[in-house]
Amino acid sequence: MPSRRQVTLRDVAREAGVSVRTVSNVVNDFHYVSTATREKVEEAIAVLGYRPNRSARSLRSGSTRTLGLVLPEFSQPYYAELADAVFASARTAGYKVLIETLGPDGEDAIADVVGDLAVSTDGILVSPTFLDGTTLAADDCPVPMVALTARSVDAGFDHVAMDDARGSELATEHLLGLGRRRIAVIGSAPGFARHGLTGEARYQGYLRAHAAAGVTPDDGLAVGTLEWTQGSGYEAVQELDRRGAPFDAVFAMNDLLAVGVLHALQDRGAAVPDDVAVAGFDDIAMASHLSPPLTTIDPGMRQIVDTAIRLLLERIEGTRESEGEEILVPPTLRIRASTGGPA
Amino acid sequence: MPSRRQVTLRDVAREAGVSVRTVSNVVNDFHYVSTATREKVEEAIAVLGYRPNRSARSLRSGSTRTLGLVLPEFSQPYYAELADAVFASARTAGYKVLIETLGPDGEDAIADVVGDLAVSTDGILVSPTFLDGTTLAADDCPVPMVALTARSVDAGFDHVAMDDARGSELATEHLLGLGRRRIAVIGSAPGFARHGLTGEARYQGYLRAHAAAGVTPDDGLAVGTLEWTQGSGYEAVQELDRRGAPFDAVFAMNDLLAVGVLHALQDRGAAVPDDVAVAGFDDIAMASHLSPPLTTIDPGMRQIVDTAIRLLLERIEGTRESEGEEILVPPTLRIRASTGGPA
DNA sequence: GTGAAAGCGCTAACAT
DNA sequence: ATGTTAGCGCTTTCAC
């Protein structure tokens, strides 16, 4: 609680010798206010150090000028970069951002977090690691909501997501194009449901590229990992070695896994890309600065965020009334030294 | 604005057949409410899906149960991890977190951001890359504020910070202990004010370790960089090579710089740690997964955050009335393979 | 243990 | 172009 009593509209009005209505008009750039009055009011505001009370304003107007963002945690670089993009885009639109994190394992029930956040926001962006059809419905959220993950069933809100399958297909296609025929895939694997639609789609893209090239992938080269982190990437390589399954390339389902893969390969003396080519997914800032720089999939995160916020604002303003739809943003392959591209 | 009209206390009271006062008591766990009444009210809350309106509650009570956090951007891993720590710690205390970012270069005036954020929070944590004496004063902020950076002058609020000089001294000492005598230092340098007290303190620690070991450092081995990012680390190595100044170790002022350094050394074929030992600062999650794993300084970030939040809550609750003070958290050296430690 | 009612600071409908 | 005022949903004082 502030030690000094808050300066209110009334104080400003008294100081400037006008009514609260006029001050409110000045503050909100409403209606016509004569230049002389405006200047008087602005001076009073400066003198008193007035700042509008956001709680009162929200209570009265029903709008908070705040967007909610729900994500797993900042420590995963993809989500950190996503958060920066959301802040930049929201700020441009004149909104603040209130964040809730779900914890690394999504331990908090997402519907609860969303419902709670909805009370203080005009609209919500949800970006869990994945979303299945039952986790979240539009009914859980009294304000508009846009998901930043792929859609399984129509739960009544918009989805703006990367095209996981297509990205994974691009990466695998690239590795096959280098003549690699034993491409390990790390992250998700058949019968490994932990990473939901995302893991499943990225695995399907891997299969699709093989099918298109007429190559039959060896099931023994697919390693599901509990987490998609550096440590898991490292252990996945050890697991492959344990299985005795030789491989000449690795497609890691995210860049963090790929960091662990590079580290493990270095430790056992394999040359990248000569012995093993490595590709990741996400194109985090670190990717181009690894040793060697990492070939990866740029999922178009900026475009995802900008589109999602645009849709969300349209819902908030009531200019978008259509059914919830799914927009998939096309990914781009970034070829770097880890698959023989330029250093 | 919600499509369905909001469910209010009044609605719950009507549904449960009690007064709003009673519902409020149940919601806030106040006073004595008979078990029967409590159950009736809780049932009504569940049936109607009531959620307290946070704006109204804040307006009335003067408290928002929200802490503000001001940081440069999430894309720098140190700040991402800091944000996760703040969320965890704040949540334990029953507070939400409202974040504002300053942009990578701190382009937004920090005093403005803080003043603005203060309107919707009970207290604020500020963690800019650095803070000089003139940037921010307690007067800019009507709610309690704790800075997560070192203090230059007493501006009237608490500071809880890492001990930059000591951390840097530990790292340099370690490199000197390995017998290295030409230790390049990257980030800040004499006459390079861009990184404020932080850069200055880390440079002083480097000097202090040299003095203690009776070694005179070569000024030509100090490289100031505009940013503390991977790219700058890479370019700093090129700059050293351009200067023709041989070096057998690098102390990078943060881990991101060290990533760029490792990359550059790899590109020109230098072996780490045999030819050049490398140490960083921050101990970001990535550090132990680089190739080779990076020796670095763990600044005790969790302890910094926990302490800062404890102080902030004490200020908010009015149980801490003392002058603003500075608490320095002791850093720890983490020895890894980049200086010959265990792989 | 519960009810009635005032009022937090602001916006906007209704005045003039 | 500016003034007056009701009331957003909640907490809390006062009465019972």
Side-chain angles (χ1 to χ4, degrees):
Chain A
M1 188 137 13
S3 44
R4 307 186 298 237
R5 198 182 70 79
Q6 196 185 145
V7 179
T8 74
L9 260 194
R10 235 193 169 78
D11 300 326
V12 177
R14 194 178 313 115
E15 171 84 15
V18 298
S19 76
V20 291
R21 167 67 203 259
T22 304
V23 180
S24 179
N25 283 345
V26 171
V27 172
N28 296 292
D29 260 345
F30 271 168
H31 302 282
Y32 303 94
V33 181
S34 73
T35 315
T37 310
R38 170 176 298 279
E39 277 169 3
K40 250 193 321 187
V41 171
E42 278 168 352
E43 161 135 13
I45 287 175
V47 167
L48 299 176
Y50 169 74
R51 304 246 185 192
N53 178 314
R54 224 185 316 267
S55 295
R57 185 177 266 186
S58 302
L59 176 60
R60 182 58 236 232
S61 69
S63 144
T64 59
R65 300 296 291 178
T66 302
L67 300 182
L69 174 63
V70 177
L71 45 73
E73 54 169 357
F74 299 107
S75 298
Q76 297 182 53
Y78 179 78
Y79 290 108
E81 294 175 17
L82 180 85
D84 278 329
V86 168
F87 269 85
S89 192
R91 167 179 303 201
T92 304
Y95 280 80
K96 299 203 163 301
V97 182
L98 186 60
I99 298 186
E100 286 288 357
T101 53
L102 297 167
D105 292 321
E107 59 246 26
D108 297 309
I110 185 166
D112 279 354
V113 171
V114 164
D116 190 50
L117 197 55
V119 177
S120 354
T121 56
D122 294 347
I124 292 186
L125 294 171
V126 274
S127 185
T129 43
F130 68 93
L131 207 55
D132 63 29
T134 61
T135 331
L136 192 63
D139 277 354
D140 297 318
C141 186
V143 299
M145 171 167 59
V146 175
L148 301 180
T149 51
R151 173 167 86 165
S152 52
V153 302
D154 183 357
F157 48 89
D158 294 313
H159 294 246
V160 183
M162 57 182 76
D163 190 337
D164 288 301
R166 177 67 187 138
S168 160
E169 186 180 8
L170 279 174
T172 310
E173 205 173 86
H174 169 60
L175 293 170
L176 287 165
L178 298 173
R180 310 293 163 132
R181 285 297 174 268
R182 295 193 52 81
I183 304 173
V185 55
I186 293 177
S188 194
F192 201 87
R194 185 174 165 87
H195 304 285
L197 289 180
T198 302
E200 175 61 16
R202 292 190 190 177
Y203 186 70
Q204 288 305 324
Y206 166 88
L207 293 183
R208 220 153 71 189
H210 278 82
V215 178
T216 307
D218 178 354
D219 276 0
L221 291 176
V223 183
T225 62
L226 285 178
E227 317 230 289
W228 285 10
T229 59
Q230 301 102 322
S232 301
Y234 192 95
E235 287 160 16
V237 170
Q238 295 180 316
E239 166 67 15
L240 285 167
D241 288 344
R242 210 174 298 124
R243 292 185 190 169
F247 55 95
D248 53 16
V250 175
F251 167 51
M253 288 195 184
N254 80 0
D255 288 350
L256 242 36
L257 284 166
V259 169
V261 168
L262 289 175
H263 181 192
L265 291 174
Q266 178 120 342
D267 274 5
R268 58 114 125 142
V272 176
D274 294 347
D275 299 333
V276 180
V278 178
F281 200 119
D282 281 347
D283 198 23
I284 63 176
M286 184 77 66
S288 54
H289 295 286
L290 293 169
S291 317
L294 181 69
T295 291
T296 188
I297 297 298
D298 173 353
M301 187 263 284
R302 301 292 310 211
Q303 193 188 334
I304 291 172
V305 167
D306 288 347
T307 306
I309 290 197
R310 187 170 50 71
L311 294 191
L312 187 58
L313 294 179
E314 287 173 9
R315 294 277 183 202
I316 291 171
E317 290 155 8
T319 54
R320 181 177 166 84
E321 302 273 351
S322 54
E323 299 275 286
E325 68 178 294
E326 181 181 45
I327 297 177
L328 287 189
V329 169
T332 312
L333 176 66
R334 304 275 176 227
I335 300 175
R336 303 205 179 94
S338 73
T339 60
Chain B
M1 186 140 11
S3 43
R4 304 187 297 238
R5 199 184 68 79
Q6 197 185 145
V7 179
T8 74
L9 261 194
R10 235 193 170 75
D11 300 324
V12 176
R14 194 177 316 114
E15 171 84 15
V18 299
S19 77
V20 291
R21 167 67 203 258
T22 304
V23 180
S24 179
N25 283 344
V26 170
V27 171
N28 295 293
D29 260 345
F30 271 168
H31 302 283
Y32 304 93
V33 180
S34 71
T35 314
T37 309
R38 172 176 297 279
E39 278 169 3
K40 252 192 319 187
V41 171
E42 278 168 352
E43 161 135 14
I45 288 176
V47 167
L48 299 175
Y50 169 73
R51 306 247 184 190
N53 178 313
R54 219 178 330 260
S55 295
R57 183 177 267 186
S58 301
L59 175 58
R60 182 59 235 235
S61 69
S63 146
T64 59
R65 300 295 289 178
T66 302
L67 301 181
L69 173 63
V70 178
L71 44 75
E73 54 168 357
F74 298 107
S75 298
Q76 295 182 54
Y78 179 79
Y79 290 108
E81 294 174 17
L82 180 85
D84 279 329
V86 169
F87 269 84
S89 192
R91 167 178 304 201
T92 302
Y95 280 79
K96 298 202 163 300
V97 182
L98 186 59
I99 298 186
E100 285 288 356
T101 53
L102 297 166
D105 292 322
E107 58 246 24
D108 297 308
I110 184 164
D112 279 352
V113 172
V114 164
D116 190 48
L117 197 54
V119 177
S120 354
T121 56
D122 294 346
I124 291 185
L125 295 171
V126 272
S127 184
T129 44
F130 67 95
L131 208 55
D132 63 29
T134 60
T135 332
L136 192 61
D139 277 355
D140 296 318
C141 186
V143 298
M145 172 167 60
V146 174
L148 300 180
T149 51
R151 174 167 85 167
S152 51
V153 302
D154 182 358
F157 48 89
D158 296 313
H159 294 246
V160 183
M162 58 182 75
D163 190 338
D164 288 301
R166 177 67 187 138
S168 162
E169 186 180 8
L170 279 174
T172 311
E173 206 173 85
H174 169 60
L175 294 169
L176 287 164
L178 297 174
R180 311 294 165 130
R181 285 297 173 270
R182 295 193 52 81
I183 303 174
V185 55
I186 293 176
S188 194
F192 201 88
R194 185 175 165 86
H195 305 285
L197 290 180
T198 301
E200 175 61 17
R202 293 189 189 179
Y203 186 71
Q204 288 304 324
Y206 166 87
L207 293 182
R208 221 153 72 190
H210 278 82
V215 178
T216 306
D218 178 354
D219 276 0
L221 292 176
V223 183
T225 61
L226 287 178
E227 316 230 291
W228 284 10
T229 58
Q230 301 103 321
S232 301
Y234 191 96
E235 287 160 17
V237 170
Q238 295 180 315
E239 166 67 16
L240 285 166
D241 287 343
R242 209 174 299 124
R243 291 185 193 170
F247 54 97
D248 53 17
V250 175
F251 168 52
M253 288 195 184
N254 79 1
D255 288 350
L256 241 34
L257 284 166
V259 169
V261 168
L262 289 176
H263 182 190
L265 291 174
Q266 176 119 342
D267 274 4
R268 57 110 127 147
V272 176
D274 294 347
D275 300 333
V276 180
V278 178
F281 200 117
D282 281 347
D283 197 24
I284 62 176
M286 185 78 66
S288 54
H289 295 286
L290 294 167
S291 316
L294 181 68
T295 291
T296 188
I297 298 296
D298 174 354
M301 186 262 283
R302 301 293 311 213
Q303 193 187 336
I304 292 173
V305 168
D306 288 347
T307 306
I309 290 198
R310 188 170 50 72
L311 295 191
L312 187 57
L313 293 179
E314 287 173 11
R315 294 277 181 202
I316 291 171
E317 288 154 10
T319 55
R320 181 177 166 85
E321 303 272 351
S322 54
E323 299 274 287
E325 69 178 295
E326 181 182 45
I327 296 177
L328 287 189
V329 168
T332 312
L333 177 65
R334 305 273 175 228
I335 301 175
R336 303 206 180 93
S338 73
T339 61

